[in-house]
């Protein structure tokens, strides 16, 4: 037995050496190659429920369009490359839907046709500027009211009363019902079939956070749908039942996207507190991540830096360890800056700069999303100074697909006409222009464009890549060209 053990150990050692040798042989020689910068999503949440960011109580079509275009121009100027627009916040729609009414936040009246294709307009204006458009939906919320003494608005005729459950201040689709899960999946399929959105996004509203004295109304559904033993007793707790209901909704969205348009990115922004997610929202985000049911998790890290467990840096450290088969983006609460009720740290843009710099230390982090759009305009405590510094150079969006990437053809015939670079590029692609900083060094991204030319300001050696509009798969670099 000892002899066989020695032989086995020797063979294992040789196999490990061989594997390491193979790995070394396959590694690129970074000392002789220019390195591309890391890909990075830089997003902004645009809340439309109650008109928070847009259209902000403006019901004139031309004024709405002008306001949205101003947002897109501001994003482009600050190298923001993704927008997460709330297109279904209250069992309503910012597009014509057979399932739910036109949102009252567009016209001031529920189900009033605004006279233009709102979602098409928003997508087109984003894409004109190379900004990815993610359709943000709230799966369950149907209506809210300020106090239990008032009444909820009447249900739209397309929504059966049997599908909803009402609490003191919120009415929602019932998460326990299979018909509700199917309805949500059908709505997502309808949305991504009709519109060329780049992503579907859900936020942190799952089971409700109720007022004092309220309990979740699901006893009937637990008794009906929970798995049971031979004696008819449930084999899981009601908490496990609730988590499974949310699991099935999340998996249903994932599955319908993969079956319909797998290039559409599915992202989720849970609360920053994992215990709150698991035990109040009944959202098992760690499980979703392990199962690969989302392409990115975006925890809302709306906390100041510090040493306590509930601070930005401690929460980010936790999420960096417990997000698995997906990308990790950081959700920044820029709405807290300059607010008199916020901690002292939020009275200076230095806090935001420190958070950006801290997040850079984590290789797992490949993007950021800011809440929310209107604060980029109001610019409390000059937060734009920190954002401009963090997003100083343009960035190429990361590839997030589950399938093998099929990058476009490498740009060819790269030429310089003074400081203007031109090239021949593939259809269905946008392009990244890089300035080389020498062999073995990371190049600088100088432009991301949908045109086949770009003007540079400095002399140097440049090269171009093509990036798929469909999924952000990037080609090999072109031949370099010197610009004097």
């Amino acid at each position: 037995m000892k002899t066989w053990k020695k032989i086995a150990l020797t063979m294992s050692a040789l196999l490990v050496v061989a594997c390491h040798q193979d790995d070394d042989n396959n590694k690129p020689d970074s000392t002789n190659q220019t390195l591309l910068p890391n890909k990075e999503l830089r997003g902004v949440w645009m809340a439309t429920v109650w008109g928070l960011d847009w259209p902000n109580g403006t019901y004139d079509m031309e004024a709405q369009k002008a306001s949205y275009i101003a947002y897109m121009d501001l994003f482009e100027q600050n190298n923001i490359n993704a927008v997460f627009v709330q297109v279904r916040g209250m069992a309503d729609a910012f597009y014509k839907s057979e399932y739910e009414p036109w949102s009252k936040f567009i016209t001031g009246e529920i189900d009033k046709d605004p006279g233009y294709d709102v979602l098409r307009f928003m997508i087109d204006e984003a894409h004109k500027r190379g900004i990815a458009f993610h359709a943000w939906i709230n799966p369950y919320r149907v209506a809210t009211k300020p106090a239990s003494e008032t009444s909820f608005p009447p249900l739209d005729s397309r929504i059966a009363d049997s599908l909803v459950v009402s609490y003191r201040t919120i009415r929602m689709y019932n998460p326990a019902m299979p018909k509700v899960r199917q309805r949500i999946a059908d709505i997502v399929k309808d949305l991504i079939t009709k519109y060329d959105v780049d992503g579907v996004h859900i936020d942190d509203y799952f089971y409700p956070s109720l007022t004092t004295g309220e309990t979740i109304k699901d006893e009937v559904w637990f008794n009906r749908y929970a798995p049971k033993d031979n004696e008819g007793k449930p084999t899981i707790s009601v908490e496990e039942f609730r988590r499974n209901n949310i699991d099935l909704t999340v998996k249903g969205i994932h599955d319908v996207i993969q079956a319909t348009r797998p290039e559409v990115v599915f992202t989720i922004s849970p609360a920053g507190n994992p215990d709150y997610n698991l035990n109040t929202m009944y959202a098992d985000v760690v499980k979703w991540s392990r199962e690969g049911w989302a392409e990115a998790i975006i925890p809302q890290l709306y906390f100041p830096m510090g040493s306590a467990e509930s601070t930005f840096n401690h929460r980010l450290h936790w999420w960096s360890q417990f997000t698995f088969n997906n990308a990790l983006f950081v959700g920044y609460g820029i709405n807290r800056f300059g607010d008199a009720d916020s901690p002292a740290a939020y009275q200076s843009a230095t806090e935001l700069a420190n958070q950006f710099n801290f997040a850079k230390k984590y290789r797992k982090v490949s993007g950021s999303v800011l809440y929310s759009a209107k604060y980029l305009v109001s610019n409390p405590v000059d937060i734009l100074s920190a954002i401009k510094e963090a997003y100083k150079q343009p960035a190429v969006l990361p590839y997030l697909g589950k399938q093998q990437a099929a990058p476009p053809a490498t740009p060819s015939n790269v030429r310089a006409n003074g400081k203007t670079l031109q090239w021949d590029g593939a259809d269905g692609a946008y392009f990244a222009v890089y300035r080389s900083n020498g062999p073995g060094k990371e190049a600088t991204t100088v432009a991301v464009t949908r045109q086949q030319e770009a003007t540079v300001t400095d002399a140097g050696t440049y090269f171009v890549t093509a990036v798929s509009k469909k999924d952000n798969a990037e080609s090999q670099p072109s031949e370099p060209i010197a610009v004097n």
Side-chain angles (χ1 to χ4, degrees):
M1 289 293 293
K2 289 182 179 179
T3 301
W4 282 111
K5 284 182 179 179
K6 288 180 180 178
I7 293 172
L9 287 171
T10 301
M11 293 296 291
S12 297
L14 290 172
L15 180 60
V16 169
V17 170
C19 289
H20 278 296
Q21 288 174 339
D22 286 344
D23 287 345
D24 290 338
N25 291 337
N26 290 329
K27 287 178 181 176
D29 182 3
S30 61
T31 60
N32 294 319
Q33 292 186 2
T34 296
L35 306 177
L36 295 182
N38 290 332
K39 310 298 182 282
E40 183 182 356
L41 181 139
R42 298 167 178 172
V44 177
W45 278 296
M46 183 176 289
T48 62
V49 66
W50 302 293
L52 290 175
D53 289 315
W54 187 87
N56 198 23
T58 300
Y59 303 134
D60 174 76
M61 178 178 69
E62 294 305 323
Q64 287 180 353
K65 289 183 175 182
S67 172
Y68 184 83
I69 287 171
Y71 271 127
M72 294 301 109
D73 287 343
L74 178 64
F75 298 165
E76 183 182 27
Q77 291 160 12
N78 288 282
N79 291 324
I80 289 165
N81 56 21
V83 63
F84 293 71
V85 179
Q86 196 171 29
V87 302
R88 179 185 174 272
M90 203 77 80
D92 55 7
F94 273 59
Y95 57 96
K96 188 172 181 57
S97 168
E98 64 182 270
Y99 298 96
E100 292 163 333
W102 280 102
S103 174
K104 69 177 180 181
F105 302 116
I106 306 173
T107 62
E109 298 178 36
I110 191 71
D111 206 28
K112 181 179 179 181
D113 191 321
Y116 71 110
D117 191 334
V118 179
L119 183 51
R120 171 62 54 209
F121 164 76
M122 293 193 293
I123 294 170
D124 288 348
E125 290 299 327
H127 285 172
K128 283 179 187 177
R129 295 160 178 80
I131 296 172
F133 188 98
H134 294 251
W136 168 14
I137 68 172
N138 185 294
Y140 297 114
R141 185 172 56 199
V142 174
T144 62
K145 57 191 176 91
S148 56
E149 292 75 21
T150 58
S151 299
F152 288 111
L155 269 180
D156 184 82
S157 61
R158 283 159 284 199
I159 304 173
D161 183 68
S162 60
L163 297 180
V164 305
V165 57
S166 298
Y167 297 94
R168 286 178 187 165
T169 60
I170 187 169
R171 171 180 282 168
M172 60 188 291
Y173 281 115
N174 187 345
M177 296 186 66
K179 286 184 178 180
V180 164
R181 294 192 285 270
Q182 185 60 53
R183 183 179 181 85
I184 292 168
D186 290 344
I187 288 170
V188 170
K189 182 176 181 178
D190 180 58
L191 171 63
I192 66 175
T193 301
K194 289 178 178 176
Y195 293 93
D196 58 338
V197 298
D198 300 290
V200 170
H201 176 71
I202 61 175
D203 51 19
D204 59 331
Y205 286 88
F206 300 103
Y207 271 92
S209 178
L210 299 174
T211 60
T212 302
E214 281 192 288
T215 57
I216 293 174
K217 302 174 182 178
D218 62 355
E219 183 177 358
V220 170
W221 308 104
F222 176 66
N223 291 331
R224 180 179 301 178
Y225 291 122
K228 297 176 178 62
D229 61 18
N230 292 334
E231 297 179 357
K233 296 179 180 179
T235 58
I236 60 174
S237 68
V238 69
E239 291 81 11
E240 291 170 321
F241 172 72
R242 291 167 186 165
R243 292 187 193 110
N244 185 62
N245 292 333
I246 306 299
D247 288 349
L248 292 172
T249 294
V250 171
K251 184 177 185 299
I253 295 173
H254 164 271
D255 289 352
V256 78
I257 291 173
Q258 290 300 306
T260 308
R261 283 184 57 210
E263 70 274 13
V264 171
V265 173
F266 180 35
T267 60
I268 304 171
S269 59
N273 183 337
D275 291 333
Y276 177 80
N277 290 324
L278 193 64
N279 299 313
T280 300
M281 298 285 101
Y282 298 101
D284 192 347
V285 186
V286 173
K287 177 180 179 179
W288 307 342
S289 181
R290 280 202 180 101
E291 296 291 339
W293 290 341
E295 278 67 68
I297 301 294
I298 316 171
Q300 299 171 28
L301 301 184
Y302 303 168
F303 316 99
M305 299 278 287
S307 57
E309 181 182 345
S310 59
T311 53
F312 177 89
N313 38 317
H314 280 256
R315 293 293 193 206
L316 177 54
H317 184 68
W318 188 93
W319 283 101
S320 71
Q321 297 178 83
F322 293 101
T323 44
F324 300 93
N325 296 318
N326 50 256
L328 173 63
F329 305 150
V330 175
Y332 291 92
I334 62 172
N335 62 314
R336 302 199 68 187
F337 284 87
D339 187 330
D341 294 330
S342 292
Y346 283 108
Q347 307 311 314
S348 169
T350 301
E351 172 69 16
L352 183 57
N354 290 340
Q355 292 184 8
F356 277 132
N357 289 331
F358 185 82
K360 287 181 181 178
K361 299 177 182 178
Y362 287 83
R363 294 181 62 185
K364 176 74 175 175
V365 174
S366 55
S368 53
V369 187
L370 311 176
Y371 184 84
S372 65
K374 67 181 180 182
Y375 297 96
L376 291 172
V377 177
S378 61
N379 191 25
V381 301
D382 194 26
I383 55 172
L384 267 177
S385 62
I387 294 167
K388 287 177 182 292
E389 180 62 28
Y391 300 166
K392 187 185 303 182
Q393 305 297 336
V396 174
L397 287 159
Y399 175 79
L400 298 173
K402 289 182 167 64
Q403 286 74 33
Q404 184 68 34
T410 300
S412 60
N413 191 26
V414 182
R415 53 206 183 272
N417 181 9
K419 292 293 179 68
T420 298
L421 292 178
Q422 296 176 318
W423 57 87
D424 298 334
D427 292 335
Y430 63 99
F431 305 94
V433 180
Y434 299 95
R435 185 179 68 246
S436 173
N437 292 313
K441 296 181 180 179
E442 186 177 286
T444 300
T445 311
V446 297
V448 177
T449 176
R450 296 202 167 197
Q451 308 302 315
Q452 295 191 21
E453 67 175 32
T455 300
V456 299
T457 57
D458 300 320
T461 300
Y462 292 83
F463 57 91
V464 184
T465 63
V467 188
S468 172
K469 291 179 183 177
K470 179 179 179 181
D471 53 21
N472 302 307
E474 188 170 25
S475 75
Q476 292 295 314
S478 69
E479 291 296 321
I481 186 167
V483 175
N484 299 318

CSV table of all heavy atoms in Angstrom, one decimal, residues 115-149:
chain,number,residue,atom,x,y,z
A,115,GLY,N,-49.2,60.0,-26.6
A,115,GLY,CA,-49.0,60.5,-28.0
A,115,GLY,C,-47.7,60.2,-28.7
A,115,GLY,O,-47.5,60.7,-29.8
A,116,TYR,N,-46.8,59.5,-28.0
A,116,TYR,CA,-45.6,59.1,-28.6
A,116,TYR,C,-45.1,57.8,-27.9
A,116,TYR,O,-45.5,57.5,-26.8
A,116,TYR,CB,-44.5,60.2,-28.6
A,116,TYR,CG,-43.9,60.5,-27.2
A,116,TYR,CD1,-42.6,60.2,-26.9
A,116,TYR,CD2,-44.6,61.2,-26.2
A,116,TYR,CE1,-42.0,60.6,-25.7
A,116,TYR,CE2,-44.1,61.6,-25.0
A,116,TYR,CZ,-42.7,61.2,-24.7
A,116,TYR,OH,-42.2,61.6,-23.5
A,117,ASP,N,-44.2,57.1,-28.6
A,117,ASP,CA,-43.6,55.9,-28.0
A,117,ASP,C,-42.5,56.3,-27.0
A,117,ASP,O,-41.4,56.4,-27.4
A,117,ASP,CB,-43.1,55.0,-29.1
A,117,ASP,CG,-42.8,53.6,-28.7
A,117,ASP,OD1,-42.5,53.4,-27.4
A,117,ASP,OD2,-42.8,52.7,-29.5
A,118,VAL,N,-42.9,56.4,-25.8
A,118,VAL,CA,-42.0,56.9,-24.8
A,118,VAL,C,-40.7,56.0,-24.6
A,118,VAL,O,-39.6,56.5,-24.6
A,118,VAL,CB,-42.7,57.0,-23.4
A,118,VAL,CG1,-41.7,57.5,-22.3
A,118,VAL,CG2,-43.9,57.9,-23.5
A,119,LEU,N,-40.9,54.7,-24.5
A,119,LEU,CA,-39.8,53.8,-24.3
A,119,LEU,C,-38.9,53.8,-25.6
A,119,LEU,O,-37.6,53.9,-25.4
A,119,LEU,CB,-40.2,52.4,-24.0
A,119,LEU,CG,-39.2,51.4,-23.7
A,119,LEU,CD1,-38.2,51.9,-22.6
A,119,LEU,CD2,-39.8,50.1,-23.2
A,120,ARG,N,-39.4,53.8,-26.8
A,120,ARG,CA,-38.6,53.8,-28.0
A,120,ARG,C,-37.8,55.1,-28.0
A,120,ARG,O,-36.6,55.1,-28.3
A,120,ARG,CB,-39.5,53.8,-29.2
A,120,ARG,CG,-38.8,54.0,-30.5
A,120,ARG,CD,-37.7,53.0,-30.8
A,120,ARG,NE,-38.2,51.7,-30.7
A,120,ARG,CZ,-37.5,50.6,-30.4
A,120,ARG,NH1,-36.2,50.8,-30.1
A,120,ARG,NH2,-38.0,49.4,-30.3
A,121,PHE,N,-38.4,56.2,-27.7
A,121,PHE,CA,-37.7,57.5,-27.6
A,121,PHE,C,-36.5,57.4,-26.7
A,121,PHE,O,-35.4,57.8,-27.0
A,121,PHE,CB,-38.6,58.6,-27.3
A,121,PHE,CG,-37.9,59.9,-26.8
A,121,PHE,CD1,-37.3,60.7,-27.8
A,121,PHE,CD2,-37.8,60.2,-25.5
A,121,PHE,CE1,-36.7,61.9,-27.4
A,121,PHE,CE2,-37.2,61.4,-25.1
A,121,PHE,CZ,-36.6,62.2,-26.0
A,122,MET,N,-36.7,56.9,-25.5
A,122,MET,CA,-35.7,56.9,-24.4
A,122,MET,C,-34.6,56.0,-24.8
A,122,MET,O,-33.4,56.3,-24.7
A,122,MET,CB,-36.3,56.4,-23.1
A,122,MET,CG,-37.3,57.4,-22.5
A,122,MET,SD,-37.7,57.1,-20.8
A,122,MET,CE,-38.6,55.6,-20.9
A,123,ILE,N,-34.9,54.8,-25.4
A,123,ILE,CA,-33.8,53.9,-25.9
A,123,ILE,C,-33.0,54.5,-27.0
A,123,ILE,O,-31.8,54.5,-26.9
A,123,ILE,CB,-34.5,52.6,-26.3
A,123,ILE,CG1,-35.1,51.8,-25.2
A,123,ILE,CG2,-33.4,51.7,-27.0
A,123,ILE,CD1,-36.0,50.6,-25.6
A,124,ASP,N,-33.7,55.1,-28.0
A,124,ASP,CA,-33.0,55.7,-29.1
A,124,ASP,C,-32.0,56.8,-28.7
A,124,ASP,O,-30.9,56.9,-29.1
A,124,ASP,CB,-34.0,56.2,-30.1
A,124,ASP,CG,-34.7,55.1,-30.9
A,124,ASP,OD1,-34.2,53.9,-30.8
A,124,ASP,OD2,-35.7,55.4,-31.6
A,125,GLU,N,-32.5,57.7,-27.8
A,125,GLU,CA,-31.6,58.8,-27.3
A,125,GLU,C,-30.4,58.3,-26.5
A,125,GLU,O,-29.3,58.8,-26.6
A,125,GLU,CB,-32.4,59.8,-26.5
A,125,GLU,CG,-33.4,60.6,-27.3
A,125,GLU,CD,-32.8,61.4,-28.4
A,125,GLU,OE1,-31.7,61.9,-28.2
A,125,GLU,OE2,-33.4,61.6,-29.5
A,126,ALA,N,-30.6,57.2,-25.8
A,126,ALA,CA,-29.5,56.6,-25.1
A,126,ALA,C,-28.5,56.0,-26.1
A,126,ALA,O,-27.3,56.3,-26.0
A,126,ALA,CB,-29.9,55.6,-24.1
A,127,HIS,N,-29.0,55.2,-27.0
A,127,HIS,CA,-28.1,54.5,-27.9
A,127,HIS,C,-27.4,55.5,-28.8
A,127,HIS,O,-26.2,55.2,-29.3
A,127,HIS,CB,-28.9,53.5,-28.7
A,127,HIS,CG,-29.3,52.3,-28.0
A,127,HIS,ND1,-30.1,51.3,-28.4
A,127,HIS,CD2,-28.9,51.9,-26.7
A,127,HIS,CE1,-30.3,50.3,-27.6
A,127,HIS,NE2,-29.5,50.6,-26.5
A,128,LYS,N,-28.0,56.6,-29.2
A,128,LYS,CA,-27.3,57.6,-30.0
A,128,LYS,C,-26.0,58.0,-29.4
A,128,LYS,O,-25.0,58.4,-30.1
A,128,LYS,CB,-28.2,58.9,-30.2
A,128,LYS,CG,-29.3,58.7,-31.2
A,128,LYS,CD,-30.1,60.0,-31.2
A,128,LYS,CE,-31.3,59.9,-32.1
A,128,LYS,NZ,-32.1,61.2,-32.1
A,129,ARG,N,-25.9,58.0,-28.1
A,129,ARG,CA,-24.8,58.4,-27.3
A,129,ARG,C,-23.9,57.3,-26.8
A,129,ARG,O,-23.0,57.5,-26.0
A,129,ARG,CB,-25.2,59.3,-26.2
A,129,ARG,CG,-25.9,60.6,-26.6
A,129,ARG,CD,-26.8,61.2,-25.5
A,129,ARG,NE,-27.4,62.5,-26.0
A,129,ARG,CZ,-28.4,62.6,-26.8
A,129,ARG,NH1,-29.1,61.4,-27.2
A,129,ARG,NH2,-28.9,63.7,-27.2
A,130,GLY,N,-24.2,56.1,-27.3
A,130,GLY,CA,-23.4,54.9,-26.8
A,130,GLY,C,-23.7,54.5,-25.4
A,130,GLY,O,-22.9,53.9,-24.7
A,131,ILE,N,-24.9,54.9,-24.9
A,131,ILE,CA,-25.3,54.6,-23.5
A,131,ILE,C,-26.2,53.4,-23.5
A,131,ILE,O,-27.2,53.4,-24.2
A,131,ILE,CB,-26.0,55.8,-22.9
A,131,ILE,CG1,-25.0,57.0,-22.8
A,131,ILE,CG2,-26.5,55.4,-21.5
A,131,ILE,CD1,-25.6,58.3,-22.3
A,132,ALA,N,-25.9,52.3,-22.8
A,132,ALA,CA,-26.7,51.1,-22.7
A,132,ALA,C,-28.0,51.5,-21.9
A,132,ALA,O,-28.0,52.2,-20.9
A,132,ALA,CB,-26.0,50.0,-22.0
A,133,PHE,N,-29.1,50.9,-22.3
A,133,PHE,CA,-30.4,51.2,-21.7
A,133,PHE,C,-30.9,49.9,-21.0
A,133,PHE,O,-31.1,48.9,-21.6
A,133,PHE,CB,-31.4,51.6,-22.8
A,133,PHE,CG,-32.7,52.1,-22.2
A,133,PHE,CD1,-33.0,53.4,-22.0
A,133,PHE,CD2,-33.7,51.2,-21.8
A,133,PHE,CE1,-34.1,53.9,-21.5
A,133,PHE,CE2,-34.9,51.6,-21.2
A,133,PHE,CZ,-35.1,53.0,-21.1
A,134,HIS,N,-31.0,50.0,-19.7
A,134,HIS,CA,-31.6,48.9,-18.9
A,134,HIS,C,-33.0,49.3,-18.4
A,134,HIS,O,-33.2,50.3,-17.8
A,134,HIS,CB,-30.7,48.7,-17.7
A,134,HIS,CG,-29.3,48.2,-18.0
A,134,HIS,ND1,-28.9,46.9,-17.8
A,134,HIS,CD2,-28.3,48.8,-18.7
A,134,HIS,CE1,-27.6,46.7,-18.3
A,134,HIS,NE2,-27.3,47.9,-18.8
A,135,ALA,N,-33.9,48.4,-18.7
A,135,ALA,CA,-35.3,48.6,-18.3
A,135,ALA,C,-35.5,48.2,-16.9
A,135,ALA,O,-35.5,47.0,-16.6
A,135,ALA,CB,-36.2,47.9,-19.3
A,136,TRP,N,-35.8,49.1,-16.0
A,136,TRP,CA,-35.9,48.9,-14.6
A,136,TRP,C,-37.4,48.7,-14.3
A,136,TRP,O,-38.2,49.5,-14.6
A,136,TRP,CB,-35.3,50.1,-13.8
A,136,TRP,CG,-35.6,50.2,-12.4
A,136,TRP,CD1,-36.1,49.3,-11.5
A,136,TRP,CD2,-35.4,51.4,-11.6
A,136,TRP,NE1,-36.2,49.8,-10.2
A,136,TRP,CE2,-35.7,51.1,-10.3
A,136,TRP,CE3,-34.9,52.7,-11.9
A,136,TRP,CZ2,-35.7,52.0,-9.2
A,136,TRP,CZ3,-34.8,53.6,-10.9
A,136,TRP,CH2,-35.2,53.3,-9.6
A,137,ILE,N,-37.7,47.5,-13.7
A,137,ILE,CA,-39.1,47.2,-13.4
A,137,ILE,C,-39.2,46.8,-11.9
A,137,ILE,O,-38.2,46.4,-11.3
A,137,ILE,CB,-39.7,46.0,-14.2
A,137,ILE,CG1,-39.0,44.7,-13.9
A,137,ILE,CG2,-39.5,46.3,-15.7
A,137,ILE,CD1,-39.6,43.5,-14.5
A,138,ASN,N,-40.3,47.1,-11.3
A,138,ASN,CA,-40.6,46.6,-10.0
A,138,ASN,C,-41.6,45.4,-10.1
A,138,ASN,O,-42.7,45.6,-10.6
A,138,ASN,CB,-41.3,47.7,-9.1
A,138,ASN,CG,-41.5,47.3,-7.7
A,138,ASN,OD1,-42.3,46.4,-7.4
A,138,ASN,ND2,-40.8,47.9,-6.8
A,139,PRO,N,-41.2,44.2,-9.7
A,139,PRO,CA,-42.0,43.0,-10.0
A,139,PRO,C,-43.4,43.1,-9.4
A,139,PRO,O,-44.4,42.7,-10.0
A,139,PRO,CB,-41.2,41.9,-9.5
A,139,PRO,CG,-39.8,42.4,-9.5
A,139,PRO,CD,-39.9,43.8,-9.2
A,140,TYR,N,-43.5,43.5,-8.1
A,140,TYR,CA,-44.7,43.2,-7.3
A,140,TYR,C,-45.6,44.5,-7.1
A,140,TYR,O,-46.8,44.3,-6.9
A,140,TYR,CB,-44.3,42.6,-6.0
A,140,TYR,CG,-43.7,41.3,-6.1
A,140,TYR,CD1,-42.3,41.1,-5.7
A,140,TYR,CD2,-44.3,40.2,-6.6
A,140,TYR,CE1,-41.7,39.9,-5.8
A,140,TYR,CE2,-43.7,38.9,-6.7
A,140,TYR,CZ,-42.4,38.8,-6.3
A,140,TYR,OH,-41.8,37.6,-6.4
A,141,ARG,N,-45.0,45.7,-6.9
A,141,ARG,CA,-45.8,46.8,-6.4
A,141,ARG,C,-46.9,47.2,-7.4
A,141,ARG,O,-46.6,47.4,-8.6
A,141,ARG,CB,-44.8,48.0,-6.2
A,141,ARG,CG,-45.5,49.2,-5.5
A,141,ARG,CD,-44.5,50.2,-5.1
A,141,ARG,NE,-43.7,50.6,-6.2
A,141,ARG,CZ,-42.5,51.2,-6.1
A,141,ARG,NH1,-42.0,51.5,-4.9
A,141,ARG,NH2,-41.8,51.6,-7.2
A,142,VAL,N,-48.1,47.4,-6.9
A,142,VAL,CA,-49.2,47.8,-7.7
A,142,VAL,C,-49.7,49.2,-7.4
A,142,VAL,O,-50.0,50.0,-8.2
A,142,VAL,CB,-50.4,46.8,-7.5
A,142,VAL,CG1,-51.7,47.3,-8.2
A,142,VAL,CG2,-50.0,45.4,-8.0
A,143,ALA,N,-49.7,49.5,-6.1
A,143,ALA,CA,-50.1,50.9,-5.7
A,143,ALA,C,-49.7,51.1,-4.2
A,143,ALA,O,-49.4,50.2,-3.5
A,143,ALA,CB,-51.6,51.0,-5.8
A,144,THR,N,-49.5,52.4,-3.9
A,144,THR,CA,-49.2,52.8,-2.5
A,144,THR,C,-50.2,53.9,-2.1
A,144,THR,O,-50.8,54.6,-3.0
A,144,THR,CB,-47.8,53.3,-2.4
A,144,THR,OG1,-47.6,54.5,-3.2
A,144,THR,CG2,-46.8,52.2,-2.8
A,145,LYS,N,-50.3,54.1,-0.8
A,145,LYS,CA,-51.1,55.2,-0.3
A,145,LYS,C,-50.4,55.7,1.0
A,145,LYS,O,-49.7,55.0,1.7
A,145,LYS,CB,-52.5,54.8,-0.1
A,145,LYS,CG,-52.8,53.7,0.8
A,145,LYS,CD,-54.2,53.3,0.7
A,145,LYS,CE,-54.6,52.0,1.6
A,145,LYS,NZ,-55.0,52.4,2.9
A,146,PRO,N,-50.6,57.0,1.3
A,146,PRO,CA,-49.9,57.6,2.5
A,146,PRO,C,-50.4,57.1,3.8
A,146,PRO,O,-49.6,57.1,4.8
A,146,PRO,CB,-50.2,59.1,2.3
A,146,PRO,CG,-51.5,59.1,1.5
A,146,PRO,CD,-51.4,58.0,0.6
A,147,ALA,N,-51.6,56.6,3.9
A,147,ALA,CA,-52.1,56.2,5.3
A,147,ALA,C,-53.2,55.2,5.1
A,147,ALA,O,-53.8,55.1,4.0
A,147,ALA,CB,-52.6,57.4,6.0
A,148,SER,N,-53.4,54.4,6.1
A,148,SER,CA,-54.4,53.3,6.0
A,148,SER,C,-55.9,53.8,5.9
A,148,SER,O,-56.8,53.1,5.5
A,148,SER,CB,-54.3,52.4,7.2
A,148,SER,OG,-54.5,53.1,8.4
A,149,GLU,N,-56.1,55.1,6.3
A,149,GLU,CA,-57.4,55.7,6.2
A,149,GLU,C,-57.9,55.9,4.8
A,149,GLU,O,-59.1,56.0,4.5
A,149,GLU,CB,-57.5,56.9,7.1
A,149,GLU,CG,-57.4,56.7,8.6
A,149,GLU,CD,-55.9,56.5,9.0
A,149,GLU,OE1,-55.0,56.9,8.2
A,149,GLU,OE2,-55.7,55.9,10.0
